[in-house]
Each structure stands twice: as structure tokens, then as C-alpha cells.
Amino acid sequence: MLIEFNPKRIWEGKEHPSFVLYDYKAKPFYDFVQKRKGFTYAMQHPDREGLLKIGRTAKNPFIRAKNLSTAGILGTFELLQVAEFADACWGEKNIHKALLEFHEAKEFFRVSLLQVKEIFNHFISLENKLLEGLQRDILIQAP
């Protein structure tokens, strides 16, 4: 889930290294937030049962599935799971790490959809907790 917040400052902490100290009115902060938000998805090709592609996109994940399906591969990818992250790079990286034992090649993992859903939900929840903590720290330190 994408958490929208409007802090005056972003704090750099150990738990979420993607955040950098910026004034919220500054263009670099706006650019930073715009580049990081997006979707992490799991999709499957009908000819590859049990092999899931787990990636990220800043655009609509349904359009991403359609684009993959027209990239010289017969058949269409089916979108199975989508999570919206404030930092999609962080979400994808951590999901990939959690699924490392199931890794086949590139962004493909031989894993059950149930396991993927549990891992997606875990990292959505973790990002929400990190952002809530970040907001509390910002409000306490705000001038």
C-alpha cells in the first residue's frame, strides 16, 4: 500500500536506508519520492506453471504484464499479486532476498503463490511501520 505523507523532513535511519535528509519543499525531495514509489508484482506465464516473475514498475502493473506478453513470448503473463510501495525498489529488493532459496534466473522464482502473498504482505506491513515511525520522529523534531 502506498503511504502518502507530507513531512517537513525525511530522516535517514538504519531501518530504511532509502530515505535521505531533504527539505520537503526542495525539488530533490520531490524527485526522490517520485522515482521511488511504484508497484512490486508477481506474474506467471501459462506455459511456466509454478515459475513466478517478481519485479517492479513505476507504471500500471497491468500495462507491464501486457508489455511483457508482447515481447516475443507466446501467451500472456497473468498478474497474480500486486503491492504498491512508497519505495518500490526497497520492496522488490527485500522480496527477492526473502525468496533467494527459490531463485531460478533473473527475476524468476519457483515458489507457491501463497508464499509470495505472505512475503508481500510482510513487507507492506514493514514499510507501513517504518513510515509511521518516520512520521513520529519528524513530528517530534519539527520546529
Side-chain angles (χ1 to χ4, degrees):
M1 175 187 321
L2 179 62
I3 302 299
E4 293 186 29
F5 61 100
N6 195 6
K8 290 188 176 179
R9 292 179 173 258
I10 293 294
W11 166 78
E12 183 174 358
K14 293 179 184 176
E15 295 175 309
H16 204 302
S18 301
F19 288 106
V20 189
L21 184 64
Y22 281 124
D23 186 318
Y24 80 102
K25 291 181 180 175
K27 185 172 179 350
F29 173 74
Y30 176 80
D31 291 344
F32 171 80
V33 171
Q34 293 303 310
K35 288 178 185 174
R36 302 301 285 202
K37 70 179 183 176
F39 301 92
T40 301
Y41 59 79
M43 56 179 79
Q44 181 177 354
H45 192 276
D47 295 341
R48 305 246 167 99
E49 191 71 30
L51 191 63
L52 303 181
K53 177 179 177 13
I54 298 173
R56 69 179 158 86
T57 182
K59 299 177 182 176
N60 185 322
F62 291 98
I63 293 172
R64 177 71 177 134
K66 185 178 178 183
N67 289 343
L68 282 172
S69 299
T70 59
I73 301 170
L74 296 175
T76 55
F77 276 88
E78 179 185 359
L79 199 56
L80 303 173
Q81 180 76 23
V82 176
E84 192 171 13
F85 283 95
D87 187 341
C89 298
W90 177 87
E92 179 195 38
K93 181 175 105 181
N94 284 292
I95 290 168
H96 281 187
K97 281 183 182 179
L99 294 171
L100 195 56
E101 66 183 280
F102 305 105
H103 185 251
E104 289 275 321
K106 295 185 180 180
E107 293 184 329
F108 290 91
F109 298 83
R110 190 162 300 282
V111 62
S112 75
L113 182 57
L114 180 62
Q115 289 171 300
V116 168
K117 286 183 178 186
E118 288 173 359
I119 290 169
F120 269 57
N121 288 335
H122 169 75
F123 286 108
I124 290 168
S125 176
L126 181 58
E127 185 185 57
N128 287 340
K129 287 177 187 173
L130 292 171
L131 291 173
E132 287 169 10
L134 182 62
Q135 285 178 313
R136 274 195 304 278
D137 290 345
I138 291 166
L139 292 174
I140 291 169
Q141 295 174 10

